Amino acid sequence: MSRRNAAVKRQVLPDPVYSSVLVTKIVNQVMLDGKRGLAQKIVYKAMEVAGEKLNMQPMDALNAAIENIKPVLETKARRVGGANFQVPMEIRADRRQTLAVRWLVDYARKRTAERGMENKLAAEIVDANNSTGGAVKKKDDMHRQAEANKAFAHYRW
């Protein structure tokens, strides 16, 4: 990381089907080896399947899932007087969304019950809507750790 300047934030273009920046970010996370067309097919199919299972519009289902996954608190290691403390801190809005997208795709990839990435991602979106699944569990674990280390909150700066 540069000590002089902060990194410049790149603007992500909205996707062609839903005109949503969030969908583009999910496509980018799913994409491997630059195969954007394949990643788009996977994400769009997963959104359609999840929307049908939940009887919702695909975009509403995805937004609700991401809202259920977004963490509010995280712990960061701070070194104070030779000891390391896990200090709970609030997360910026853009990092919340980034973590939610990353966890959604990671836990979809780890699923073994379904075959095909479309079905795995759709199942993870459905589970996130119902506040279950790996991504929501990860958020709950992170919140639990922040709550357990609340005593060190005064080291925040």
Side-chain angles (χ1 to χ4, degrees), residues 38 41-43 45-46 49 115-123:
L38 180 61
K41 285 179 191 172
I42 289 170
V43 172
K45 180 73 171 153
V49 170
R115 286 184 53 97
M117 188 59 189
E118 300 100 348
N119 297 329
K120 291 179 179 185
L121 188 58

Side-chain angles (χ1 to χ4, degrees), residues 30 38-53 104-105 107-128:
V30 169
L38 180 61
Q40 284 175 332
K41 285 179 191 172
I42 289 170
V43 172
Y44 296 150
K45 180 73 171 153
M47 287 174 62
E48 287 174 21
V49 170
E52 288 172 10
K53 285 185 181 176
L104 180 74
V105 174
Y107 284 96
R109 280 201 176 108
K110 290 178 184 175
R111 292 178 84 96
T112 56
E114 297 85 11
R115 286 184 53 97
M117 188 59 189
E118 300 100 348
N119 297 329
K120 291 179 179 185
L121 188 58
E124 192 64 34
I125 291 170
V126 170
D127 283 352

Side-chain angles (χ1 to χ4, degrees), residues 3-139:
R3 290 174 182 256
R4 285 180 199 241
N5 303 359
V8 179
K9 274 280 188 208
R10 286 199 210 105
Q11 290 297 323
V12 180
L13 297 173
D15 76 296
V17 176
Y18 295 102
S19 301
S20 167
V21 173
L22 176 62
V23 175
T24 302
K25 289 181 179 183
I26 293 172
V27 167
N28 289 343
Q29 193 70 34
V30 169
M31 182 171 52
L32 296 174
D33 299 327
K35 306 219 174 200
R36 179 173 304 277
L38 180 61
Q40 284 175 332
K41 285 179 191 172
I42 289 170
V43 172
Y44 296 150
K45 180 73 171 153
M47 287 174 62
E48 287 174 21
V49 170
E52 288 172 10
K53 285 185 181 176
L54 294 166
N55 294 325
M56 299 171 73
Q57 292 294 322
M59 201 62 216
D60 295 338
L62 182 67
N63 284 330
I66 292 292
E67 282 301 316
N68 284 346
I69 298 171
K70 280 184 185 177
V72 179
L73 294 170
E74 70 179 341
T75 56
K76 288 195 172 185
R78 288 277 185 249
R79 190 167 178 86
V80 179
N84 286 326
F85 296 105
Q86 292 293 325
V87 180
M89 302 185 125
E90 279 194 36
I91 307 177
R92 295 184 329 271
D94 57 337
R95 180 162 165 77
R96 283 179 195 177
Q97 187 183 52
T98 302
L99 287 173
V101 167
R102 185 182 307 156
W103 294 342
L104 180 74
V105 174
D106 285 349
Y107 284 96
R109 280 201 176 108
K110 290 178 184 175
R111 292 178 84 96
T112 56
E114 297 85 11
R115 286 184 53 97
M117 188 59 189
E118 300 100 348
N119 297 329
K120 291 179 179 185
L121 188 58
E124 192 64 34
I125 291 170
V126 170
D127 283 352
N129 262 299
N130 299 327
S131 295
T132 57
V136 176
K137 184 180 181 307
K138 173 85 171 174
K139 178 195 83 164

